[in-house]
Amino acid sequence: MPEDTLFSKIARGEIPSTEVYSDENFYAFRDINPGAPTHVLVVPRRPIPMITDATEADALLLGRLLLVANKIAEKEGLTKDGFRYVINCGAWGGQTVFHLHVHILGGRPMAWPPG
Ligand code: AMP
């Protein structure tokens, strides 16, 4: 069933994670393999496989996803020096978990362009 993604199980507490934020629509937790001193993943509880699968009906959810990410970035102390949001999409984009998520990466200067 579509709800049975790795990240749905994490959001439901069926797989352990380090919670950073939780509300009725979103769950955020620390990446198990951090790419920066701060690396948080924000996921909508209702899974959308890829950002390109989002439709007009998801517009509010997508906006709120970024506002929740902003709240977390602020709470994690990232906003003064700056940080990065990443949404990987598909194989060449480096997506490995097909449940839409925003990476919040910070705590060090970020290289550009990314690898
Ligand atoms: P992506 O490659 O954009 O799909 O990102 C998936 C991310 O999920 C990677 O950065 C992984 O390190 C992370 N990840 C995979 N399994 C877990 C887990 N059980 N707990 C926390 N993060 C995970």
Side-chain angles (χ1 to χ4, degrees):
M1 81 192 202
E3 271 72 29
D4 259 349
T5 70
L6 171 66
F7 288 171
S8 290
K9 289 177 185 165
I10 287 176
R12 292 198 298 261
E14 294 164 15
I15 292 175
S17 67
T18 305
E19 179 180 318
V20 172
Y21 177 90
S22 180
D23 69 22
E24 61 178 333
N25 294 312
F26 301 99
Y27 184 73
F29 54 102
R30 301 211 183 271
D31 196 293
I32 202 166
N33 185 22
T38 301
H39 189 170
V40 174
L41 303 175
V42 193
V43 306
R45 290 183 182 275
R46 177 167 61 80
I48 296 169
M50 296 162 68
I51 186 67
T52 48
D53 293 315
T55 68
E56 195 61 36
D58 299 314
L60 191 59
L61 184 85
L62 294 182
R64 285 185 173 150
L65 176 63
L66 290 178
L67 291 175
V68 164
N70 280 353
K71 199 183 288 190
I72 294 166
E74 180 77 44
K75 199 168 136 210
E76 292 285 317
L78 303 178
T79 53
K80 181 171 167 287
D81 290 330
F83 62 96
R84 181 170 292 166
Y85 291 148
V86 171
I87 298 176
N88 293 327
C89 184
W92 278 28
Q95 186 173 9
T96 57
V97 179
F98 286 80
H99 179 148
L100 172 66
H101 50 283
V102 175
H103 294 253
I104 305 174
L105 293 147
R108 64 165 169 80
M110 296 289 151
W112 190 262

